[in-house]
Amino acid sequence: MLLRAVGRQMTSVIRQQTAVRSITMTRVALGGGGHHHGEYKLKSLRVLYQILPEPQPVYIPKPGSLDWTLCGNSHAKSAHPHEPHKTDVGSMVGAAVFIGLTLAAVLIKTDTFKKDEGHHHGHSAKHSAHKEEVHHEEPEEKHVEPEVDPRKPEEVIAVREAPAAVEEPVPTTSKQEQEEKAVEEAAGTKKAESEETSVEPQGTTSKQEPDGTSATEEPVPSTSKTTEEPTPSESKQENSTLHCEYVIIGSGTAAYYASLAIRAKQAEAKVLMIGEESELPYNRPPLSKELWWYGDETAASKLDYTSLSGKKRDIFYEVEGFFVSPEDIRKAPHGGVSLIRGKKAIKICVDDKKVILEDGTTIGYDKVLIATGVRPKKEKVFDDASEEAKEKITYFHYPKDFKRVERGLADKSIQKLAIIGNGLLASELAYSIKRKYGENVEVHQVYEQKYPAEDILPTHLAQKSFEAIKNSGVNIRAEQRIEGVRKCCKNVVLKLSDGTELRSDMIIVATGEEPNSEIIEASGLKTSEKEGGVRADKYLKVAENVWAAGAIATFDDNILGSRRISSWENAQVSGRLAGENMATAGKTEKAFWYQPSFFTKFAPHLHINAVGQCDSTLETVTVYAEPDGENPLEKAVVFYKSKENGNVVGVLLVNVFGPSLDVARRIIDDQKKVEEFKEIAKLFPLYEPPKVEEETNEKSP
Amino acid sequence: MSKEEILKIPREEFFKSVKMEYRRYFEPFEEPESVYPDGRVNIDCPCLHSALAHRCGYLIRQALVCFNASKTTPRGMDCEKEFMTHAICTEEAKSQN
């Protein structure tokens, strides 16, 4: 009895969390400096030219043209009469002493020189730039020296920080900045020189300077490198570093479920999601299904619909209060999930364990998950259209696309709609929009192939879908290529390959999708040529401390080989699996085992669920139930046989419900070579059992 | 176009018993249970993942641990404080944003 009370308490609490949410403004969590690589060299040289007394062209020695010694003159091979370089013995000696002491301090106090592996990010070109710079730094050193000497005791600590701190800090105090800068200038100079004398430190450690205060002092160009990360607690204590245990790149379904799985396995885990989209993590399938079928006038603004149980639901997985803010996540005593919205991650430095965002912010991680997903595939004919025409063309993938189309339909500015594509998204949209707006909208579906969904469905079913979509009122223009598109009066006009023209108020392009794989290439991770996306093993692991999940991951499926699946259930299942494996890394890891399914509906009596490899180029066996009076729905099961040995690799169910998908999963996992398909079809509820009521278990995402 | 076989199975044949070799695919399925037979809550249930991942998740974890360890009848009478703390935390989280 109290169980019920407890249950009630729990459900009421959980209900609070899932109550109607308000979509707040995007939070810009981080500012950050930049990594400006090449600019500084030019800037510093230009600044220097202004300071030097002589207006002659400055002599810049060629790399390698000088004999450098620590105490002595540099003998330029082609001496320019008015060289700015002054051979000042006093400052050379002072510099040598200073450098020697610094080196000693670094050697003793840090283990910068102990690690064998240096991190050479290919910036060796900068070393020659250093040589050029050093010349010009010499006269400056007089200014720098008196500044630096009194700071020597602090410098020892600062030097240890210099190799440690990597990214562009939120400046703590300007004094600290100047300190670090002075140290780094010296460090930069010292390191450039010492390289010549073949005291080989492990790569140069010089910091990237922010613009502002370095106008008068010479900034030290080139990127920052860590030779070795100090213990994670040290780097975490640094105020200037952003670091999170678990970093997830992406804020979609796979990312969300991974964050849940991580927190479930490791109770106090800190998770940071970095999403390019500005919305909270949301569920995508309703954008072409439930929001149209069950949504009302608030759907366009709140993205909600009335579910079959009568409750209002929106597409967001969690309210904003679920998340910890990115500023607080490091100090959060019990961890949490934090979210950076509207920022794109462009690179992962696998060796350094850092994620770099588009605006230059760097985020350190212990384990990272790539869950960047897919985006709509662009079509050339629409990208090349005029700006006027483009105003009436949209791809369909994001909530803003849904809002735009729904608002246009609701206020009657869209009365004629053309949907391009024959895939599941295009067909669903055609069906859903026609279902909601009926006679108020003219829907045309235009594609190059013969039948809708013909790369999944066997021909006879594809034909049936074609008929069903036509019967629901959609005007299908099959086997038409788009030759051109132009704006004419208030409409946009499509020129089709059979010569006709199609006028509409809006064009929705839904021809396909491509993976967001730029970050994969930029980070040097392996991509799959055949499938796109990133190569992962059966544990969804890509590289050391890097995992991948969702539509971006081409993973090894023991049964069906290497695949990349772009469906909601795969995002959920692989997100959970990757999250679990990340949290239990090194202890127990689970291989991929649960075949994801997908669900689609693009005609009133064609409710399709499928699992496994449903590819119409494979040999198929379809078992139909015979239609009888009581059964208006035509039921069928389609088995897809593998090319190699005829095993069942995919099962597609038409209007068949119940636990059928799990039965299908067992058949696929068993790699069953079926001889009698009619026998195995008995496992699926093709007919209602006599006198017992069958539950229609609608499996919606 | 690849080979497409179409079979039709009439009603009578469908209800005849299935051959032995295919029966095992139809074995009943086990779902992870949310509550054990003795009344304790299964904290590993996927249904709790969302609540546990919430920023107040540690509080409900404590509450559930207390609930499972509770010896009172009905179970959990002594855990009211933990559950209330969690409820207050989630309320604050909701109103903060």
Side-chain angles (χ1 to χ4, degrees), chain A residues 262-522:
Chain A
I262 293 170
R263 290 270 292 161
K265 279 275 179 229
Q266 189 181 325
E268 318 272 275
K270 302 183 169 104
V271 180
L272 175 65
M273 287 181 9
I274 307 172
E276 194 186 1
E277 295 189 59
S278 55
E279 291 94 355
L280 292 169
Y282 62 88
N283 193 9
R284 195 180 300 283
L287 293 178
S288 62
K289 298 185 176 80
E290 283 91 336
L291 282 173
W292 298 104
W293 303 344
Y294 311 126
D296 53 28
E297 59 282 338
T298 57
S301 48
K302 292 209 215 138
L303 296 168
D304 60 4
Y305 58 94
T306 313
S307 72
L308 289 172
S309 60
K311 288 213 293 239
K312 269 262 172 154
R313 302 185 55 174
D314 65 18
I315 64 174
F316 297 97
Y317 289 121
E318 298 285 355
V319 286
E320 184 131 11
F322 170 91
F323 299 97
V324 176
S325 79
E327 296 94 46
D328 299 333
I329 187 66
R330 275 210 0 248
K331 305 262 168 52
H334 299 279
V337 182
S338 63
L339 173 64
I340 296 177
R341 290 192 269 179
K343 301 248 174 158
K344 184 170 175 176
I346 52 171
K347 184 172 169 171
I348 306 171
C349 291
V350 182
D351 297 321
D352 278 347
K353 294 168 80 166
K354 299 210 183 312
V355 173
I356 302 175
L357 307 187
E358 210 168 23
D359 63 0
T361 322
T362 317
I363 299 175
Y365 65 81
D366 291 344
K367 295 176 190 163
V368 72
L369 174 72
I370 303 174
T372 46
V374 295
R375 59 168 183 264
K377 190 169 74 172
K378 301 276 175 188
E379 289 292 324
K380 191 167 186 310
V381 65
F382 297 109
D383 273 358
D384 291 345
S386 68
E387 285 311 308
E388 290 183 307
K390 276 197 195 166
E391 283 171 23
K392 302 222 171 236
I393 302 174
T394 179
Y395 292 89
F396 197 90
H397 189 70
Y398 302 101
K400 68 169 173 31
D401 303 323
F402 166 80
K403 286 182 183 179
R404 183 180 173 188
V405 178
E406 164 68 11
R407 287 197 177 117
L409 287 164
D411 65 15
K412 304 254 172 76
S413 58
I414 300 178
Q415 288 175 322
K416 277 197 224 162
L417 190 57
I419 301 176
I420 318 293
N422 84 329
L424 294 186
L425 176 61
S427 312
E428 275 174 26
L429 270 176
Y431 161 67
S432 306
I433 294 176
K434 193 68 183 169
R435 171 173 162 166
K436 179 163 185 185
Y437 284 97
E439 292 307 312
N440 295 325
V441 69
E442 213 180 283
V443 180
H444 304 266
Q445 191 178 353
V446 184
Y447 53 77
E448 293 184 29
Q449 298 85 353
K450 205 157 173 215
Y451 298 118
E454 65 175 25
D455 44 355
I456 296 175
L457 298 173
T459 324
H460 49 100
L461 271 177
Q463 259 170 337
K464 290 202 172 70
S465 321
F466 182 84
E467 296 299 321
I469 297 180
K470 258 189 28 188
N471 287 337
S472 67
V474 175
N475 179 339
I476 303 187
R477 310 286 218 105
E479 296 177 289
Q480 299 283 0
R481 219 161 37 92
I482 313 283
E483 307 262 307
V485 60
R486 69 174 203 281
K487 178 104 186 291
C488 176
C489 321
K490 284 203 176 154
N491 307 125
V492 61
V493 181
L494 285 168
K495 187 160 179 309
L496 304 177
S497 52
D498 66 354
T500 58
E501 291 198 333
L502 182 59
R503 282 182 169 272
S504 55
D505 297 314
M506 169 149 274
I507 298 176
I508 302 180
V509 186
T511 46
E513 53 188 24
E514 52 191 19
N516 284 320
S517 46
E518 290 77 27
I519 191 175
I520 317 293
E521 289 138 13

Side-chain angles (χ1 to χ4, degrees), chain A residues 130 162 184 187-188 204-209 220-225:
Chain A
H130 273 275
E184 277 130 24
T204 37
T205 309
S206 33
K207 231 172 151 191
Q208 202 55 2
E209 295 303 296
V220 179
S222 87
T223 51
S224 47
K225 285 183 241 173

Side-chain angles (χ1 to χ4, degrees), chain B:
Chain B
M1 213 57 220
S2 31
K3 177 168 162 226
E4 294 175 11
E5 202 181 323
I6 301 178
L7 302 170
K8 294 208 201 306
I9 185 167
R11 176 181 268 269
E12 311 77 47
E13 191 183 337
F14 180 80
F15 285 111
K16 292 215 189 92
S17 58
V18 188
K19 285 207 178 138
M20 284 309 294
E21 71 176 290
Y22 300 115
R23 282 201 200 168
R24 68 176 189 283
Y25 301 123
F26 208 53
E27 301 277 289
F29 289 90
E30 278 177 34
E31 301 255 334
E33 38 186 10
S34 42
V35 181
Y36 295 124
D38 62 356
R40 288 178 308 131
V41 167
N42 173 15
I43 303 187
D44 293 322
C45 176
C47 56
L48 283 172
H49 280 183
S50 172
L52 291 171
H54 195 280
R55 69 184 193 201
C56 307
Y58 63 101
L59 291 169
I60 192 128
R61 198 184 278 269
Q62 286 168 8
L64 290 171
V65 165
C66 168
F67 181 87
N68 281 352
S70 159
K71 299 274 182 277
T72 58
T73 38
R75 192 187 275 273
M77 287 291 275
D78 47 353
C79 300
E80 189 176 320
K81 184 157 145 277
E82 279 87 354
F83 280 107
M84 283 312 295
T85 328
H86 173 251
I88 293 167
C89 180
T90 43
E91 263 309 308
E92 277 177 36
K94 216 168 54 145
S95 54
Q96 216 172 62
N97 297 286

Side-chain angles (χ1 to χ4, degrees), chain A residues 498-638:
Chain A
D498 66 354
T500 58
E501 291 198 333
L502 182 59
R503 282 182 169 272
S504 55
D505 297 314
M506 169 149 274
I507 298 176
I508 302 180
V509 186
T511 46
E513 53 188 24
E514 52 191 19
N516 284 320
S517 46
E518 290 77 27
I519 191 175
I520 317 293
E521 289 138 13
S523 314
L525 299 166
K526 280 199 290 226
T527 54
S528 160
E529 277 178 26
K530 203 177 88 171
E531 313 258 355
V534 62
R535 280 308 267 106
D537 64 12
K538 59 184 176 171
Y539 302 107
L540 300 180
K541 196 166 182 183
V542 174
E544 198 59 37
N545 298 316
V546 183
W547 281 262
I552 190 75
T554 305
F555 60 92
D556 289 329
D557 181 352
N558 278 336
I559 315 281
L560 298 178
S562 160
R563 307 160 71 197
R564 184 174 74 81
I565 311 171
S566 172
S567 77
W568 179 87
E569 189 161 78
N570 179 54
Q572 196 218 144
V573 168
S574 65
R576 282 192 196 268
L577 183 65
E580 263 185 56
N581 286 344
M582 285 166 84
T584 59
K587 286 174 264 177
T588 52
E589 279 163 321
K590 271 190 355 207
F592 178 87
W593 61 279
Y594 189 80
Q595 284 298 338
S597 66
F598 67 87
F599 151 65
T600 182
K601 183 166 177 177
F602 41 75
H605 300 294
L606 273 186
H607 194 116
I608 293 176
N609 278 302
V611 64
Q613 214 168 4
C614 295
D615 186 353
S616 64
T617 58
L618 299 172
E619 201 182 306
T620 58
V621 178
T622 314
V623 182
Y624 276 96
E626 280 180 357
D628 54 27
E630 350 172 323
N631 225 351
L633 294 178
E634 190 171 14
K635 301 195 182 213
V637 186
V638 184

